[in-house]
Amino acid sequence: MASWNTLQQELEQLQMEGRYRPLTVWESGSGAWMTLNGRSVLQMSSNNYLGLTEHPGMKEAAIRAIEKYGVGSGSVRTITGTLDIHDQLEQELARFKGTEAALVFQSGFTANQGVLASLLGPDDVVISDELNHASIIDGIRLTKAQRKVFAHKDMDQLEAALKESAGFQKRIVVTDGVFSMDGDIAPLPTIVALAEKYDAFVYVDDAHASGVLGKNGKGSTDHFGLHGRVHIQIGTLSKAVGAVGGYVACDQVVKDYLIHKARPFLFSTSQTPAVAATCLSAIQVLGQSGDLIAKLWENAAYFRSKVQALGFDTGASETPIIPVIVGNPAKTMQFSDLLLQEGVYAQGIVYPTVAMDKGRVRFIVTAQHTREDLDFALHALHKAGKQILE
Ligand SMILES: *Cc1c(COP(=O)(O)O)cnc(C)c1O
């Protein structure tokens, strides 16, 4: 008799280690305050950095697109699934990013999978930061390329890997722009300089930098003034942009190649009209987002300094992602639960997403949080911290 016993056993093991997490079901849309079990809770874990999920103009654009095009696109991009709004979105994204071209995928996850799997062949080498996102790791796994991993942001190890890679056809250095668990920024200027020295391509995944870093949220390449020197920029439309989707900003030849090779692009239906129109509208919104982004960074600086003043360890954070490092998994989840009792939702993140002794409660500050909200969260942190860490 077929049985799921082994799955059950693994789940029980997770339960014993305090790592079993049922889904949290929310009764309202993404925002600073959200409804959970009929109760209003201060939410500090979304990627809705600019609060755009509720933007009136973007909602209007989505509704108009549904009325004009219907609810689905009806096909993959290569058949009848490229609507004019998909095409416009790519043109606007390329203009926004300052690249020749852009290609949109269903998500940031599939963008990484599709692009890495297409660009890397058996004669190539990929050199990747150890803390890169799961979608990068999976994208690399799909290829027959030689893999080299360097310790997080260790530029000596990166250089050593580049030196060893002279014999390969293509060398591609891959990094997150902003690392999602620690909220630190990749040393892109050094990565670019090393890549130029050893004739390699630079691939940056700006999921947490899109709409956050650089002028109007153009990302880490813009933040560091490296236009024209980063070959592949992955962005997401699912985080600060407020909808869902991913894209690559790149040279036209790369886009043309991906249209013929990238499997999630070829074999999965395109974004719905509402999503494409929402993203198109979001790019306009980002063009006038200076104040919102300034507020986001002001909130992040305030919250981080106050959390540190309370005696907590915020690790390497230098962005609106602000982890509070707790330690072992069970204690981390307990801390998160205590915060929720105080009315603050901040997600506990534990092994295997981070190292066993580096469990953390991850706060993500947004532009929607008011000073009162942040002070409310600080009070809860203080109270919960006293109970669990002393
Ligand atoms: C969230 C994230 C992704 C995935 O983006 P989605 O659009 O949510 O699929 C990819 N890379 C990094 C670094 C991320 O943080």
Side-chain angles (χ1 to χ4, degrees), residues 107-109 112 133 135 176 178 180 205 207-208 236-239 245-246:
S107 69
F109 197 101
N112 274 323
H133 190 257
S135 55
D176 281 11
V178 170
S180 52
D205 177 357
H208 281 284
T236 185
L237 303 162
S238 324
K239 289 177 173 144

Side-chain angles (χ1 to χ4, degrees), residues 13 28 192 196 260 352 362:
Q13 181 67 28
S28 61
V192 165
E196 286 172 351
H260 293 85
R362 185 178 61 164

Side-chain angles (χ1 to χ4, degrees), residues 64-203:
R64 277 202 310 269
I66 289 175
E67 282 167 354
K68 179 168 178 191
Y69 301 94
V71 292
S73 77
S75 161
V76 297
R77 287 285 303 274
T78 47
I79 306 178
T80 63
T82 299
L83 306 176
D84 50 9
I85 43 178
H86 293 112
D87 189 52
Q88 281 164 28
L89 175 58
E90 289 175 344
Q91 290 178 31
E92 289 302 318
L93 279 169
R95 199 197 324 262
F96 180 68
K97 297 288 284 188
T99 54
E100 273 181 22
L103 188 69
V104 170
F105 288 76
Q106 296 84 354
S107 69
F109 197 101
T110 57
N112 274 323
Q113 284 206 324
V115 177
L116 287 163
S118 303
L119 295 185
L120 287 163
D123 301 328
D124 302 325
V125 60
V126 55
I127 309 173
S128 178
D129 187 293
E130 66 175 344
L131 293 190
N132 278 345
H133 190 257
S135 55
I136 291 178
I137 295 169
D138 285 11
I140 291 173
R141 280 186 185 146
L142 290 171
T143 76
K144 294 198 168 65
Q146 171 80 42
R147 298 150 204 194
K148 294 180 190 289
V149 175
F150 57 95
H152 184 47
K153 300 210 288 195
D154 186 325
M155 295 295 99
D156 293 334
Q157 282 192 19
L158 170 59
E159 178 153 24
L162 280 162
K163 260 188 200 149
E164 289 168 10
S165 301
F168 290 91
Q169 199 173 69
K170 279 193 232 85
R171 288 158 292 280
I172 304 188
V173 181
V174 185
T175 184
D176 281 11
V178 170
F179 289 87
S180 52
M181 293 303 142
D182 295 275
D184 55 335
I185 300 173
L188 207 52
T190 311
I191 292 174
V192 165
L194 285 172
E196 286 172 351
K197 184 170 168 193
Y198 294 95
D199 228 353
F201 293 107
V202 177
Y203 181 120

Side-chain angles (χ1 to χ4, degrees), residues 182 184 304 308 312-318 322-325 360:
D182 295 275
D184 55 335
R304 191 184 314 106
Q308 287 168 351
F312 293 106
D313 174 9
T314 58
S317 167
E318 51 185 330
I322 303 169
V324 170
I325 315 280
R360 77 252 345 247

Side-chain angles (χ1 to χ4, degrees), residues 286-317:
L286 282 180
Q288 298 139 20
S289 62
D291 291 349
L292 258 187
I293 294 177
K295 175 84 187 306
L296 170 67
W297 285 88
E298 187 190 310
N299 277 350
Y302 175 78
F303 191 70
R304 191 184 314 106
S305 71
K306 293 286 180 182
V307 169
Q308 287 168 351
L310 288 173
F312 293 106
D313 174 9
T314 58
S317 167

